[in-house]
């Protein structure tokens, strides 16, 4: 497919820019055609204002119409065929098999959000009918539901060029909630962004929606990105990426005359706690699972386990020996960008340079700089040193894990207390270990957004019950998830209607319940109409 390298501004191509850039194939260090043009600030403003204009219409679209739109986006993405996968492979170095699965996830979550939008009960309609005869004072008729928040800026992520980018979870959930979206394409995979952006733009036209419902903008994060966040037309921001960039967006949004929410997923080292019983029963299997998890995607997953706690003893010695053997045999692989590779190496050196940290093993082959490779490695330290040196909690975004050795099981609690907010925490334990797991679980519930038993955190299921979030610095708002259908709640706000007549009420709040929603009436869930 021929790429034009321009922004897609409410259905219209942007103009050639003064500044241009090219994507780089990380495996070959070869620049990829074509040139991509950074949008001028007046073009960015035009896209944002078009989104604000489109909101007046799009917010009133029925759930059924939004569902059709989301399903059409999925169909258009699938129609791109292998060209999309090949371009994404060239821009990211991710294997075609991984990208094929990611495309399926992207389209699957679009269709899942379509189901939720079509059914409609997500608006959380609550009705307390009037009690005119109540003493000492009557109660007025009160009805509450969620409404779309407004236009949303979404920042494409580096590590998921499909599932967390142009038509990824942030975009899908915002569109499902009734919010227009302006995407800031990630500079590492602009061609992939253009292809998917074209699919969304075609879906907008096919569904007869206002063109401003979607735009795709190319440009720098510190220039175009910050300008988008500060623009008065924008009501919220969705972001997945580094702590530095996420915090910059959060601060810019908070400094506005009218601050807006930033839902940023930023940093997590996802602790794993290995209990002695589990290591005795299946230590070798846990070592293999850990290796697979922390090297999956070359360690470039936000849920990659970065630290592992274990109690000194023969079962831990055997586990460490097996893990070292597996790591030494593990191959190097191409990372997403040279910048991510350099940051990984810098942060790994920062960790391993702390006094008391000892290398355990590294891949046998030296990483090839020309191929932007990351080398799997593991090091060890003690709980005491982990608590004493905050640098050991640095996220090394790549194929590295730090094993933290405890003298006794009680030290796990001290290690957990030293943690900042995390996306996940994992236990490997047997029934015999449950007495030690229970108090640690209670402590970690205050630190993380998802707790796992006898698994690994790098699989994030897209479903109704998933929570992909956590206390700062894992995210900027611990109350919400960026994966799963509850992600829609980020882009909605409650409005209460008092004593409005039936003719003025939104359909979800009418007595007849014309949409057949599950509603809370006098505190009881029901789909029945109000007589």
């Amino acid at each position: 497919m021929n790429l034009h390298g321009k922004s897609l501004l409410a259905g219209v191509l942007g103009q050639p820019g003064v500044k241009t850039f090219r994507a780089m194939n990380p495996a070959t260090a070869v620049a990829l055609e074509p040139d991509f043009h950074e949008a001028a600030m007046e073009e960015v403003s035009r896209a944002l204002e078009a989104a604000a204009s489109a909101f007046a219409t799009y917010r009133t679209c029925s759930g059924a119409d939004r569902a059709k739109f989301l399903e059409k986006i999925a169909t258009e993405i699938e129609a791109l065929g292998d060209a999309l996968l090949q371009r994404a492979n060239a821009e990211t170095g991710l294997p075609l098999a991984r990208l094929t699965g990611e495309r399926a996830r992207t389209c699957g979550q679009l269709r899942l959000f379509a189901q939720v939008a079509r059914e409609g009960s997500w608006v959380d309609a609550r009705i307390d009918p009037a009690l005119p005869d109540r003493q000492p004072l009557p109660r007025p008729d009160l009805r509450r539901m969620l409404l779309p928040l407004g236009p949303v800026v979404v920042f494409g992520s580096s590590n998921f060029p499909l599932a967390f980018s142009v038509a990824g979870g942030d975009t899908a959930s915002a569109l499902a909630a009734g919010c227009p979206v302006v995407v800031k394409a990630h500079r590492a995979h602009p061609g992939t962004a253009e292809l998917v952006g074209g699919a969304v733009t075609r879906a907008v036209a096919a569904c007869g929606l206002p063109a401003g419902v979607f735009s795709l903008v190319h440009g720098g994060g510190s220039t175009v990105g910050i300008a988008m966040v500060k623009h008065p037309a924008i009501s919220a921001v969705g972001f997945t990426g580094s702590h530095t960039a996420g915090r910059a967006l959060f601060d810019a949004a908070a400094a506005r005359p009218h601050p807006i929410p930033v839902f940023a997923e930023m940093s997590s080292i996802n602790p794993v706690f290995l209990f002695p019983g589990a290591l005795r029963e299946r230590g070798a299997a846990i070592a293999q699972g850990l290796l697979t998890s922390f090297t999956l995607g070359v360690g470039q997953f936000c849920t990659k386990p970065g630290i592992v706690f274990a109690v000194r003893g023969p079962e831990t010695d055997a586990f460490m020996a097996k893990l070292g053997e597996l790591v030494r045999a593990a191959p190097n692989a191409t990372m997403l960008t040279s910048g991510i590779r350099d940051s990984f190496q810098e942060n790994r050196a920062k960790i391993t340079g702390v006094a008391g940290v000892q290398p355990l093993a590294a891949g046998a082959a030296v990483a090839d700089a020309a191929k932007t490779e990351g080398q799997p490695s593991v090091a060890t330290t003690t709980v005491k040193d982990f608590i004493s040196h905050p640098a050991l909690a640095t996220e090394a975004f790549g194929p590295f894990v730090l094993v933290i050795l405890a003298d006794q099981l009680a030290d796990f609690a001290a290690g957990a207390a030293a943690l900042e907010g995390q996306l996940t925490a994992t236990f490997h334990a047997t029934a015999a270990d449950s007495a030690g797991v229970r108090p640690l679980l209670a402590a970690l519930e205050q630190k993380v957004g998802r707790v796992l038993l006898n698994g690994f955190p790098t699989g994030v299921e897209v479903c109704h019950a998933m929570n992909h979030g956590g206390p700062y610095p894992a995210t900027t708002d611990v109350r919400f998830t960026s994966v799963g259908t509850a992600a829609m709640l980020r882009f909605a706000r409650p409005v209460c209607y008092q004593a409005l007549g039936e003719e003025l009420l939104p359909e979800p709040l009418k007595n007849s319940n014309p949409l057949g929603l599950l509603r809370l009436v006098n505190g009881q869930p029901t789909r029945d109409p109000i007589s």
Side-chain angles (χ1 to χ4, degrees), residues 248-505:
L249 298 177
F250 179 85
D251 289 345
R256 289 172 40 143
H258 297 282
I260 59 172
V262 172
F263 302 104
E265 182 221 299
M266 300 180 296
S267 178
S268 186
I269 53 176
N270 306 297
V272 177
F273 296 85
L274 305 180
F275 282 76
L279 288 180
R280 279 193 295 272
E281 282 191 3
R282 47 192 172 82
I286 293 173
Q288 180 63 68
L290 177 62
L291 175 84
T292 300
S293 188
F294 86 81
T295 61
L296 186 66
V298 207
Q300 298 166 118
F301 279 47
C302 50
T303 51
K304 183 210 79 172
I307 58 172
V308 176
F309 291 89
V311 181
R312 295 183 190 274
E315 59 276 344
T316 297
D317 291 342
F319 161 78
M320 298 279 282
K322 183 62 177 178
L323 180 61
E325 172 191 329
L326 293 169
V327 169
R328 283 186 285 272
N332 301 330
T334 298
M335 300 188 74
L336 291 160
T337 68
S338 59
I340 289 174
R341 187 271 319 277
D342 293 346
S343 179
F344 164 62
Q345 292 180 339
E346 178 182 338
N347 286 326
R348 182 175 60 181
K350 177 180 178 181
I351 294 167
T352 56
V354 172
V357 176
Q358 301 294 325
L360 176 67
V366 176
D368 187 340
K371 295 181 179 179
T372 319
E373 286 185 342
Q375 180 189 42
S377 58
V378 58
T380 67
T381 190
T382 67
V383 170
K384 180 181 179 181
D385 284 335
F386 179 74
I387 294 170
S388 300
H389 300 286
L392 295 181
T394 300
E395 181 185 25
F397 192 65
F400 170 77
V401 69
L402 179 66
V403 178
I404 301 169
L405 298 173
D407 292 325
Q408 54 189 347
L409 199 58
D411 293 341
F412 279 6
L419 293 169
E420 292 189 298
Q422 306 293 327
L423 294 171
T424 73
T426 301
F427 304 106
H428 280 269
T430 65
D433 295 315
S434 60
V437 171
R438 196 171 292 111
L440 192 58
L441 172 61
L444 286 169
E445 284 173 343
Q446 307 303 310
K447 296 275 189 175
V448 309
R450 179 165 58 109
V451 183
L452 299 83
L453 178 66
N454 295 334
F456 290 96
T458 36
V460 183
E461 184 72 24
V462 182
C463 61
H464 302 293
M466 177 52 64
N467 186 69
H468 188 62
Y472 187 88
T475 68
T476 50
D477 197 324
V478 69
R479 297 169 297 172
F480 296 98
T481 178
S482 62
V483 177
T485 55
M488 292 170 66
L489 301 179
R490 297 175 296 171
F491 305 119
R493 65 182 182 89
V495 173
C496 180
Y497 301 86
Q498 181 170 327
L500 268 68
E502 182 83 356
E503 70 283 357
L504 293 176
L505 287 170

